[in-house]
Amino acid sequence: MRILIVEDDAGLRRYVRAAAEEGGFSVDEAACLDDATAHIQSVPYDAVVLDLGLPDGDGLELIKTIRRVRAGLPVLVLTARDSIKDRVKGLDTGADDYLVKPFACEELLARIRALLRRPGQVMGAVLTAGNVTLDTIARDATVAGTPVSLSRHEISILEHLMRRQGRLVPKDILFDNVYGADALPESNTVPVHIHHLRKQLTALGANIEIETHRGLGYLLAVPKEAR
Amino acid sequence: MKFDRNSLVTRLGWRLAMVLAIGTILQMAWLFAHFRGVEDYSEEGLLYELFDFFKDVAWTTPAIGVATFLACAAGMRRHLSSLRAISQQASQILPEERHASLPVDQAPSEVQPLVASVNKGFERLVEAVKVQRRFTANAAHELRTPVAVVQAGLERLPQNEDVVVLRREGERMGRIVGQLLSLARLEGGNGHQLEVLDAAGIVRRAAEPLTHLASAALVTLAFEVELEPLLVQATEEAITEITRNLVENAICHAPAGSEVAIALARDGRLSVIDHGPGIPENHRAHLFERFWRGPWTSRPGSGLGLAIVAEACQRIGATVRCLSTSGGGATFEVRLATAS
């Protein structure tokens, strides 16, 4: 996986690069718009990490170029601007995700991975969280190597939670993904599945936890020492 | 009318009384000299003549004096009432004002230079406040990248005790920088017209990313909404800031394993309820001041969160107060203006 980091601050570029390389990416750097444009036109990157405030112009201009050259290339915007207006503008221009400075490199890597797993991109076949693994193609899961018996819906729920571990999966999105957007809300058995999922995972000694945030959704938490 | 030595009307009264007194004395003196020269009067006869003269003619002088005083006093009071209206306006000028100025034309022309120079002074102050705010916003903005570099660098060091302390402080610094920007943005809120918005959706979107923070603090969030959509008069920015800062504050003080509830009632009451130590009654007055932190708390806060809430509430004409949660803890209640 090759990514391009466009950032004018040499210090930040250095650390983002180091973190990304440790995360298994090969990394190219660009410090300005011209440089970045040249890179994008010559190398088929898997993702671009883009700072908006560049010395020779606005990073949003680069997104326009990217959408013209390679429409499907995921772009993660890094920025110091975080007003709602700025966020909307960034996403409207075609950024795929948005991270406000300062950020944790761990979070940045998680976001890049999430972008790469989007439909249309190469899917990671095996997901892991703590001592739990889930094979997205064989549709089965294990806890510390022991298979867990889960229904089709439960695997699907677990997959979504694992893809966004540490972040909330809103209940509507979970519902739509499991049952399809046209399903009637009456058929919502997500809480029941979550309950069963939790019981199964706990019984096998999983070190991850599915948290319920009432009225908002679910979040898969991995204890710090298990990461 | 109460007696006031500095009142223009009192001063006018004294002047007129003095002129009147001197005039009367001169009149008397003249008459005295005049009668004295014309005929030979006895003392009584002279006094009698003077009294007669006063009764027939001279009484008009003090009468005119009093009438003049009354007319001038009334006129002056009427003209001064325009000044009273202007000072009324002046007393309502707030530090947020972008174009603070007083109406010059309404003042009597003698006072117009004063009003005009006060306006000039206001202009300079407004400009200074603007510069100050822009400075805060720019400083906070510029700090973001260096803070990010420091945080990323610390993340990559071997994690010993010192590094953990530094990382925690680095995160706190990042949070303060973000909050300073929020505050600057709310204060400088250009063109933030109130709109009719769905509060439920905005609160939900603001709360969703905070579950991450809650999870790290071993706390769960809950969102209870009575009516969705719930239309209110507000700005998206203000509701987002109110929710974010109240919930972050609650998560910071909630004990592990407890729940922080966000409740939105159909009458526009937005409550954030925690089961932490609560806030003593005598400290509630200071809660919304900048950089104020409760003396009882050892938790690392910035002291800016609740100030942002207060500022955001003021922007949209909402009120915020702090109550006790039944069974222990703090509840912050914001009253949003519903749009029906």
Side-chain angles (χ1 to χ4, degrees):
Chain A
M1 292 273 162
R2 194 161 178 189
I3 63 173
L4 176 68
I5 297 168
V6 188
E7 161 68 59
D8 62 320
D9 187 281
L12 196 58
R13 213 160 57 219
R14 175 193 148 123
Y15 288 120
V16 168
R17 173 185 199 130
E21 281 176 347
E22 251 167 47
F25 295 99
S26 55
V27 180
D28 286 340
E29 296 175 13
C32 61
L33 273 186
D34 284 347
D35 209 6
T37 312
H39 271 88
I40 282 164
Q41 280 164 346
S42 54
V43 183
Y45 290 104
D46 295 297
V48 176
V49 176
L50 172 67
D51 176 33
L52 286 191
L54 292 169
D56 56 344
D58 195 326
L60 291 175
E61 290 304 311
L62 187 67
I63 300 184
K64 285 181 199 153
T65 315
I66 292 175
R67 290 291 163 257
R68 220 172 36 239
V69 179
R70 270 190 56 204
L73 177 59
V75 178
L76 175 81
V77 162
L78 291 184
T79 182
R81 306 174 212 163
D82 76 334
S83 75
I84 288 168
K85 211 170 57 194
D86 285 321
R87 271 184 248 197
V88 168
K89 197 169 141 206
L91 295 174
D92 277 353
T93 319
D96 295 276
D97 202 354
Y98 213 90
L99 200 55
V100 177
K101 289 179 189 173
F103 50 84
C105 284
E106 242 172 65
E107 173 77 6
L108 174 69
L109 287 190
R111 299 276 185 106
I112 297 174
R113 290 203 188 97
L115 284 183
L116 294 174
R117 282 180 200 136
R118 285 209 174 161
Q121 300 294 326
V122 183
M123 303 283 278
V126 177
L127 305 174
T128 52
N131 60 1
V132 178
T133 63
L134 186 145
D135 188 323
T136 54
I137 294 162
R139 313 298 299 163
D140 55 28
T142 66
V143 175
T146 318
V148 202
S149 86
L150 296 171
S151 71
R152 193 169 52 89
H153 283 337
E154 282 156 11
I155 286 283
S156 166
I157 289 171
L158 185 60
E159 182 185 342
H160 278 97
L161 291 171
M162 285 177 79
R163 283 191 189 286
R164 279 177 65 94
Q165 50 181 285
R167 290 204 283 156
L168 184 85
V169 180
K171 55 182 172 103
D172 306 353
I173 290 179
L174 202 53
F175 178 80
D176 288 352
N177 278 306
V178 173
Y179 298 99
D182 299 330
L184 295 171
E186 288 83 51
S187 59
N188 189 356
T189 49
V190 169
V192 181
H193 288 312
I194 293 272
H195 180 75
H196 184 244
L197 202 51
R198 250 189 219 135
K199 227 168 69 185
Q200 293 288 92
L201 292 174
T202 316
L204 289 170
N207 60 1
I208 61 171
E209 197 179 334
I210 300 172
E211 298 175 354
T212 304
H213 294 271
R214 282 195 297 124
L216 293 168
Y218 302 93
L219 183 149
L220 189 140
V222 182
K224 272 230 156 67
E225 58 276 18
R227 273 175 200 165
Chain B
M1 189 183 75
K2 73 175 189 304
F3 179 77
D4 175 5
R5 279 172 50 144
N6 279 327
S7 150
L8 286 176
V9 176
T10 313
R11 288 186 182 182
L12 174 75
W14 280 117
R15 281 290 154 87
L16 276 176
M18 248 149 71
V19 169
L20 205 60
I22 293 167
T24 311
I25 289 168
L26 285 176
Q27 213 172 26
M28 293 297 172
W30 182 82
L31 273 176
F32 196 71
H34 181 76
F35 283 114
R36 199 62 191 264
V38 175
E39 268 168 83
D40 197 22
Y41 276 103
S42 65
E43 288 287 308
E44 290 83 30
L46 188 60
L47 279 176
Y48 182 78
E49 277 298 327
L50 281 177
F51 178 73
D52 227 24
F53 174 72
F54 187 80
K55 200 182 75 185
D56 292 342
V57 184
W59 63 270
T60 52
T61 312
I64 289 170
V66 170
T68 311
F69 170 72
L70 288 178
C72 286
M76 203 179 275
R77 281 172 72 81
R78 217 190 47 238
H79 289 306
L80 289 180
S81 73
S82 70
L83 283 186
R84 220 163 284 157
I86 291 172
S87 47
Q88 183 82 30
Q89 283 195 32
S91 71
Q92 281 161 2
I93 289 176
L94 296 171
E96 294 72 82
E97 219 84 18
R98 261 175 292 284
H99 308 287
S101 75
L102 300 171
V104 178
D105 326 342
Q106 284 175 24
S109 60
E110 289 86 348
V111 188
Q112 281 182 5
L114 172 68
V115 178
S117 41
V118 166
N119 276 345
K120 272 213 192 88
F122 275 147
E123 254 169 57
R124 280 196 292 268
L125 282 179
V126 166
E127 195 47 45
V129 170
K130 257 196 238 163
V131 168
Q132 174 73 40
R133 282 181 184 158
R134 220 174 310 143
F135 174 77
T136 314
N138 286 342
H141 187 89
E142 289 303 320
L143 276 171
R144 285 207 147 163
T145 302
V147 170
V149 175
V150 169
Q151 283 189 11
L154 288 172
E155 242 182 278
R156 300 199 42 78
L157 288 177
Q159 301 297 303
N160 59 33
E161 223 170 282
D162 290 338
V163 175
V164 169
V165 171
L166 288 176
R167 275 184 75 173
R168 197 170 56 225
E169 291 305 303
E171 269 162 32
R172 179 159 156 225
M173 197 154 73
R175 204 160 53 237
I176 295 175
V177 164
Q179 288 182 322
L180 282 174
L181 260 179
S182 295
L183 210 47
R185 212 158 41 222
L186 283 168
E187 283 178 333
N190 265 323
H192 278 196
Q193 291 298 318
L194 295 194
E195 297 170 84
V196 175
L197 300 162
D198 169 28
I202 298 173
V203 171
R204 190 191 302 280
R205 278 196 297 280
E208 278 172 2
L210 299 173
T211 50
H212 179 72
L213 204 67
S215 174
L218 305 177
V219 171
T220 55
L221 289 189
F223 180 46
E224 295 154 0
V225 55
E226 271 187 11
L227 182 69
E228 189 165 5
L230 177 72
L231 298 184
V232 296
Q233 287 267 358
T235 67
E236 185 171 354
E237 182 120 45
I239 298 181
T240 304
E241 292 293 355
I242 289 170
T243 310
R244 188 199 297 165
N245 286 287
L246 285 181
V247 174
E248 277 183 4
N249 185 57
I251 290 173
C252 193
H253 296 99
S258 69
E259 184 182 78
V260 169
I262 308 160
L264 187 58
R266 65 174 67 236
D267 61 0
R269 262 179 309 130
L270 171 65
S271 312
V272 175
I273 304 148
D274 73 50
H275 301 281
I279 292 149
E281 200 99 29
N282 54 333
H283 284 118
R284 290 184 188 170
H286 302 286
L287 273 180
F288 299 97
E289 290 167 15
R290 281 168 204 193
F291 294 113
W292 188 86
R293 291 178 54 215
W296 65 87
T297 168
S298 56
R299 308 234 179 193
S302 65
L304 278 174
L306 292 178
I308 294 175
V309 172
E311 184 72 36
C313 283
Q314 205 204 337
R315 288 281 133 186
I316 57 172
T319 58
V320 57
R321 60 184 183 145
C322 174
L323 308 162
S324 299
T325 308
S326 65
T331 294
F332 283 89
E333 184 187 271
V334 173
R335 277 180 183 278
L336 301 169
T338 51
S340 40

